[in-house]
Amino acid sequence: MKRLLIVGAGGHGRSVAEAVLAAGKYELMGFVDDAAPSLQHIWDLPVFGATADLASYRQYADAAIVAIGNNRLREELQQRLYAAGFELATVVHPKAIVSLRAVVGAGCAIMAGAIVGTEAQLGAGVIVNCGAVVDHHCRVEDFGHLGVNAGMAGGSVLGRGAWMQAGSVLGYGVKLEAGAVLAPGKALSGK
C-alpha cells in the first residue's frame, strides 16, 4: 500500500482524508499546510509543515494529492509535487460512482455521492465534490472544479480552471470557458 500525503488541511483536505480512509487504497501519513507550525495535528495525523518545503516531505510518502479548492493554487502545488518526485494520487470516495469507461486524470478528488458517467473525461487535478454529476461524454478540463451538487448534462464542457459553484448546472453540450465561475444555483443552457 502506497503512503499518501495530503496537501491542504482545511475543510476540503479533511474531506479528502476521510475519503482516503474510507477507500483503504493508501496509507494516509499526514498533511502539509501553510498553517503549520501552529497547526500540528489533524485528528491523530501529523501536519508535517508548510508547502514551501514540499520536497522535504518525500521521505514520508510515495504519493500526494492537493486537496485545496482554489484551482490556480491546486495547479501550482501539483506541479511542485511532480517536480519533487511524488506520484500524484487520485482519490475516489467509495460512495462515488465512476464509470469504467470514464477517463480520470492524476490528482483528481471524486467525493461521496458524485457520479462520473460513461466516457466522461476528467483532466488533471479536477474536483468533483459531494453529489456532483459529470454525465456521459462530458469533459472537465485540467483543474476544473464542480461544487456540491453541481451538474453537467451530457456532452457539456467545463474549461480549464473553471468553477461550477454549489448547485450550478451546465445544459447539454454547453461549455463554460476556462477560468470562468458559475454562481451557486445558476444554469448555463444552450442558445
Side-chain angles (χ1 to χ4, degrees):
M1 186 178 296
K2 290 188 178 177
R3 301 171 303 156
L4 180 71
L5 182 69
I6 296 178
V7 178
H12 183 58
R14 294 171 198 218
S15 295
V16 169
E18 284 197 342
V20 168
L21 295 171
K25 293 185 179 179
Y26 292 97
E27 179 183 1
L28 183 54
M29 303 307 293
F31 298 84
V32 171
D33 194 281
D34 287 341
S38 62
L39 180 63
Q40 295 184 353
H41 289 90
I42 301 296
W43 312 319
D44 60 343
L45 296 165
V47 177
F48 292 109
T51 60
D53 302 318
L54 283 179
S56 69
Y57 309 124
R58 184 66 182 84
Q59 63 184 314
Y60 302 114
D62 312 299
I65 184 168
V66 181
I68 295 173
N70 179 299
N71 296 341
R72 181 197 52 76
L73 183 55
R74 191 168 63 258
E75 179 175 7
E76 175 191 321
L77 290 168
Q78 185 164 311
Q79 289 170 351
R80 289 177 51 206
L81 286 169
Y82 270 131
F86 283 95
E87 175 184 318
L88 266 291
T90 291
V91 172
V92 179
H93 193 286
K95 297 290 185 181
I97 299 170
V98 179
S99 169
L100 295 176
R101 290 178 177 80
V103 177
V104 179
C108 290
I110 304 172
M111 306 307 289
I115 299 172
V116 178
T118 299
E119 297 181 38
Q121 298 176 24
L122 305 183
V126 167
I127 296 172
V128 183
N129 224 320
C130 297
V133 175
V134 180
D135 200 4
H136 66 87
H137 300 95
C138 288
R139 188 173 79 242
V140 181
E141 295 177 354
D142 293 349
F143 306 100
H145 183 165
L146 281 84
V148 172
N149 290 325
M152 296 176 67
S156 60
V157 177
L158 182 61
R160 181 184 182 92
W163 181 20
M164 294 177 64
Q165 293 187 356
S168 62
V169 178
L170 293 181
Y172 290 99
V174 172
K175 179 173 184 176
L176 184 63
E177 296 300 322
V181 176
L182 190 57
K186 297 293 181 182
L188 188 58
S189 61
K191 296 180 169 134

